[in-house]
Amino acid sequence: MGVILAVALLISDQQGNGLKNVRATLSILVYPLQLLVSLPVDMGESMSDTFVSYQSLKDENRTLKEKQLINDSRLLKLAALEKENIRLRALLENSFKLGEQVLIAELLAVTLAPYQHIVVVNKGSRFGVHEKQPVTDAYGIVGQVMRTLPVSSEIMLITDPNHAIPVQVNRNGLRTIALGSGKINQLQLPFLPNNADIKPGDLLISSGLGGSFPPGYPVAEIDEVKVQPNKPFASITATPKAQLDKSREFLIVWSDSRSVLLTEPEIEAEEVDASEETLNGTE
Amino acid sequence: MAPNNSSSIFLYLLTVILAMSLRILPLGETAGYLNPDWVLLILIYWSLNVPENFGVFNAWIVGVLVDVLTGRVLGEHALVYTLMIYFILKFHKRIRHYPFPQLSVVVFAALLLSSVLIFWVESIKNEAHISALFWGRIVTGTLAWPIMYAAISYLRSLRRFF
């Protein structure tokens, strides 16, 4: 009886998403458990925040201020470049996409299954998070939202064996797909021929093809290019730019799909300035 | 439902919650593979010791909760736990009187069978990239069994003094 019920559940959950509400309700029941398990790590974090010396705080403050200054000056230039880009695209009669909105989500320190690279964060559908949203950290793309629950969501990292992300070599625009390898610090690019123009140190950025990831975010850096003369494709590995195993805070990104009206570039450029939590595609 | 009086029920819920917490403990990759299926061990313990108050339905509910907790397809653990507990309950009269090493063999078999079933369901769901280390948790589970058994038995003996 129980077995039949379980198999029925299995099949219906596999096929449709009619059980979404059941899962959402039950998830509220088990969420305290995830918080509980995550608690020691969180407490450790806050302890190390509390018991930190005055000197190191001062040092950190100084470096952060310097960083802020550099970033600000870069942003100044970026605004001008962005306007120029919009103008040039208007000449080419091409569309231009505005920046993205982000939401900061904190990681819960739990493992769901050791053979999957799926993490849980503390923002869910109550914050408007939806499935297939891209997730980044300060260094690059982290992954995408796989499942949203009311108060938490599950994020599949780009290194998960079942994940693939369309990328582009920043140097020459060569497009390919990066697959997760199952190792937290490695991606694989199995679809490039032996004579492809790619070398160690090349930056891979998201190409925006497929529509789930916004274009222009850094994804990974090429590690090793191994030519395989007896096979049609080279064996290429890359290291993710995002600190997948170290970051505690992730940014969930809303891509703004509205295109800019090219006839009035000034107004749209002002909108870019106006939106506060705008994250820029470059850098 | 579970054991007969309120303090036993309390102990039962406590052990299940503890087992679920142990299940999602962040241990890193290799240790994560070797993290045994605590929830199944706990369910086996209770179904052997208070079979008269413990049903298959109980295992099913716990299974669904574990599915939600670990983000699996709903019904995966429910199916496995229901099957295992069904067989344990069916043969509990015989299994209870086994000497401890033989009992461990039964637990080993249950863990093995449950891992095979979970591996099978996961393989249907998507391309399984499960490393060979996955089977290590059967061994660690069998090793954890006597410790867990002793710990809960001790807690239950303390209960008289509460």
Side-chain angles (χ1 to χ4, degrees), chain A residues 2-3 5-7 9-10 13-14 19 22-23 26-27 29-30 33-34 36-37 41 109-117 147 154 161-162 182 184, chain B residues 17 20-21 23-27 29 32-33 60 64-65 67-76 78-79 82-83 121-122 125-127 129-130 134:
Chain A
V3 173
L5 217 58
V7 171
L9 256 184
L10 261 179
D13 195 32
Q14 188 94 66
L19 288 171
V22 179
R23 188 188 285 273
L26 290 176
S27 79
L29 216 67
V30 296
L33 220 62
Q34 297 184 332
L36 185 80
V37 171
V41 178
V110 297
T111 339
L112 298 189
Y115 42 86
Q116 278 183 326
H117 291 181
R147 181 182 285 139
E154 292 163 17
N162 287 311
I184 198 75
Chain B
I17 287 171
M20 283 185 175
S21 313
R23 186 66 202 275
I24 55 169
L25 217 57
L27 290 171
E29 197 151 341
Y33 270 113
W60 187 83
V64 171
L65 284 178
D67 285 329
V68 175
L69 186 72
T70 57
R72 307 291 92 194
V73 185
L74 280 184
E76 183 178 314
L79 171 70
T82 309
L83 269 177
V121 175
E122 290 278 321
K125 197 176 73 178
N126 48 33
E127 220 185 317
H129 296 269
I130 299 178
F134 175 73

Side-chain angles (χ1 to χ4, degrees), chain A residues 157-173:
Chain A
L157 304 181
I158 51 173
T159 51
D160 186 280
N162 287 311
H163 194 271
I165 174 171
V167 293
Q168 197 169 21
V169 178
N170 197 25
R171 183 166 51 86
N172 54 13

Side-chain angles (χ1 to χ4, degrees), chain A residues 111-170:
Chain A
T111 339
L112 298 189
Y115 42 86
Q116 278 183 326
H117 291 181
I118 292 175
V119 295
V120 183
V121 296
N122 66 350
K123 294 280 157 65
S125 52
R126 284 198 171 179
F127 288 84
V129 178
H130 56 83
E131 275 164 33
K132 291 183 184 160
Q133 252 185 303
V135 180
T136 72
D137 72 357
Y139 306 94
I141 287 189
V142 166
Q144 57 180 311
V145 178
M146 202 189 69
R147 181 182 285 139
T148 51
L149 301 166
V151 281
S152 61
S153 44
E154 292 163 17
I155 290 169
M156 185 182 261
L157 304 181
I158 51 173
T159 51
D160 186 280
N162 287 311
H163 194 271
I165 174 171
V167 293
Q168 197 169 21
V169 178
N170 197 25

